[in-house]
Amino acid sequence: MKFTLALWLLLLSLFSHSTELRIHELRNYGALHYLEFYMMEEGGVPVKAAFKALETPKCPFNMRLVGGMSKDTMNELREFYRLNYPEQLNAYLNSPRDKLGSAIAPLAALVPEALASTALLREVGEELKDRKCVLGDISYEKFVPSIEEGFWVSDIYIKVVKQAE
């Protein structure tokens, strides 16, 4: 089973031009399932293919997206701030380099909302909807805003919950 799944994912990745996910593992911590993907610029498979390749656990479960985001996703995050929170973004951009910590806090507080707006998490949400689940709380490990490189977030943690009926 694992060999067939790995071969199928490899073939999909050869023909995929989108980013983002490579299945890392599905494990149980007590009664709660934990699904982990690597985020990738290249060599991953589209979200739909990643979810199709495995049997998604029943809700609730936790999901972790590990590693680096694609440039497109980083740019989406930057655009989110530019369109929705220009004052906070400008305060950060105009801060002296030695005082970035206080200017980054308002942007960091909005990271879960910004992540939810990306195509990556919208696609994950669509795949979950088919399984009667929705994205719950979103948290993250590290946030690095850069106007030149885009806004980078590493290790995204998502609680997946049962869809309200």
Side-chain angles (χ1 to χ4, degrees):
M1 172 74 177
K2 281 187 178 184
F3 177 75
T4 306
L5 174 64
L7 183 61
W8 188 80
L9 287 173
L10 176 64
L11 289 172
L12 270 176
S13 69
L14 294 175
F15 300 104
S16 173
H17 298 291
S18 65
T19 11
E20 278 294 349
L21 301 178
R22 188 178 84 206
I23 298 169
H24 179 239
E25 63 184 334
L26 172 62
R27 63 168 83 166
N28 294 330
Y29 291 108
L32 197 60
H33 297 292
Y34 196 94
L35 180 59
E36 193 166 281
F37 293 101
Y38 287 122
M39 293 186 290
M40 306 179 73
E41 178 73 35
E42 296 176 352
V45 296
V47 171
K48 188 173 205 65
F51 274 86
K52 191 174 187 176
L54 57 88
E55 191 173 314
T56 307
K58 290 184 179 183
C59 298
F61 65 92
N62 290 321
M63 188 165 39
R64 180 177 177 216
L65 306 178
V66 184
M69 315 177 125
S70 71
K71 286 184 175 94
D72 289 343
T73 302
M74 292 189 299
N75 288 330
E76 281 183 88
L77 291 172
R78 183 180 54 214
E79 271 310 294
F80 171 84
Y81 286 103
R82 192 178 316 222
L83 294 172
N84 298 295
Y85 297 98
E87 291 174 14
Q88 291 89 333
L89 179 60
N90 287 331
Y92 168 75
L93 294 174
N94 297 322
S95 292
R97 292 291 166 217
D98 62 338
K99 300 200 184 217
L100 287 178
S102 62
I104 209 170
L107 297 177
L110 299 165
V111 168
E113 182 184 348
L115 286 169
S117 76
T118 64
L120 171 63
L121 263 62
R122 285 193 316 267
E123 289 174 21
V124 168
E126 282 300 311
E127 290 304 309
L128 293 172
K129 192 186 310 180
D130 292 344
R131 294 158 174 81
K132 308 261 189 274
C133 302
V134 294
L135 299 175
D137 292 336
I138 299 170
S139 59
Y140 62 96
E141 188 120 348
K142 189 173 185 181
F143 172 59
V144 181
S146 165
I147 289 304
E148 299 81 32
E149 301 295 323
F151 283 18
W152 184 74
V153 178
S154 72
D155 294 6
I156 302 167
Y157 300 91
I158 303 167
K159 289 186 188 258
V160 176
V161 297
K162 195 171 204 134
Q163 190 174 32
E165 293 185 28

